[in-house]
């Protein structure tokens, strides 16, 4: 089974794969891959404390936390883009647009969501390296 959908934040792909298994075993694997645009991919992975402070700055003064997050791209924080200079420019563009459009409330909401994304990305990547995926296949000693 394969399902593809689109949302306001990105596209979602779900695929279900059946792998060969012994009778009685559930061998379905569900994979979910969410695709994001270049602005979201430019958000740097910061330490949790820095992400929380920048989130609060984004709530108080729209775009200010995003402006400072742009500088963290040049200070060594990783992004999904992989290119610090491009991520820096995209974050500066986001900050500028948030500051300009906060008059229409759109920029303020965008800034708050962006701040929440800072914290979410920081906490996800903090937990991610400890998870090591592995598969275990049980085998029965009973011969049929």
């Amino acid at each position: 089974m394969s399902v593809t959908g689109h949302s306001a934040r990105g596209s979602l792909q779900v695929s279900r794969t059946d792998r060969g298994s012994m009778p009685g075993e559930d061998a379905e694997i569900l994979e979910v891959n969410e695709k994001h645009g270049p602005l979201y991919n430019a958000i740097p992975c910061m330490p949790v404390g820095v992400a929380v402070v920048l989130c609060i700055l984004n709530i108080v003064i729209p775009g200010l936390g995003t402006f400072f997050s742009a500088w963290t791209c040049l200070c060594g924080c990783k992004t999904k883009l992989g290119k610090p200079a491009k991520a820096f420019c995209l974050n500066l563009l986001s900050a500028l647009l948030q500051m300009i459009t906060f008059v229409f409330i759109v920029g303020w909401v965008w800034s708050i969501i962006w701040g929440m994304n800072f914290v979410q990305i920081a906490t996800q990547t903090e937990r991610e390296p400890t998870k090591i995926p592995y598969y275990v296949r049980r085998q029965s000693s009973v011969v049929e």
Side-chain angles (χ1 to χ4, degrees), residues 75-76 97 109 114:
C75 293
L97 291 174
V109 173
W114 224 243

Side-chain angles (χ1 to χ4, degrees), residues 8-113:
R9 295 180 70 191
S11 63
L12 178 69
Q13 294 180 339
V14 178
S15 61
R16 194 173 283 223
T17 311
D18 289 328
R19 299 201 179 167
S21 64
M22 298 179 75
E25 287 186 20
D26 186 18
E28 280 188 12
I29 296 174
L30 184 65
E31 298 174 9
V32 178
N33 298 322
E34 191 170 355
K35 294 183 180 180
H36 297 285
L39 284 179
Y40 182 89
N41 289 336
I43 296 175
C45 174
M46 300 170 276
V48 177
V50 174
V52 169
V53 168
L54 294 182
C55 177
I56 293 169
L57 280 176
N58 261 358
I59 293 169
V60 175
I61 302 170
L64 187 62
T66 308
F67 176 76
F68 288 130
S69 76
W71 292 98
T72 64
C73 294
L74 297 179
C75 293
C77 290
K78 302 291 182 192
T79 65
K80 291 182 182 178
L81 290 178
K83 299 178 182 178
K86 185 175 181 181
F88 173 74
C89 292
L90 287 173
N91 277 306
L92 281 182
L93 176 67
S94 296
L96 179 68
L97 291 174
Q98 288 171 7
M99 289 177 187
I100 290 172
T101 60
F102 92 93
V103 177
F104 306 110
I105 307 298
V106 173
W108 205 336
V109 173
W110 179 15
S111 182
I112 292 169
I113 291 171

Side-chain angles (χ1 to χ4, degrees), residues 97-137:
L97 291 174
Q98 288 171 7
M99 289 177 187
I100 290 172
T101 60
F102 92 93
V103 177
F104 306 110
I105 307 298
V106 173
W108 205 336
V109 173
W110 179 15
S111 182
I112 292 169
I113 291 171
W114 224 243
M116 292 179 352
N117 284 336
F118 293 158
V119 176
Q120 183 181 19
I121 290 172
T123 56
Q124 279 178 354
T125 53
E126 186 177 82
R127 286 180 268 148
E128 208 168 87
T130 59
K131 294 190 301 185
I132 300 173
Y134 63 94
Y135 296 95
V136 177
R137 184 175 177 99

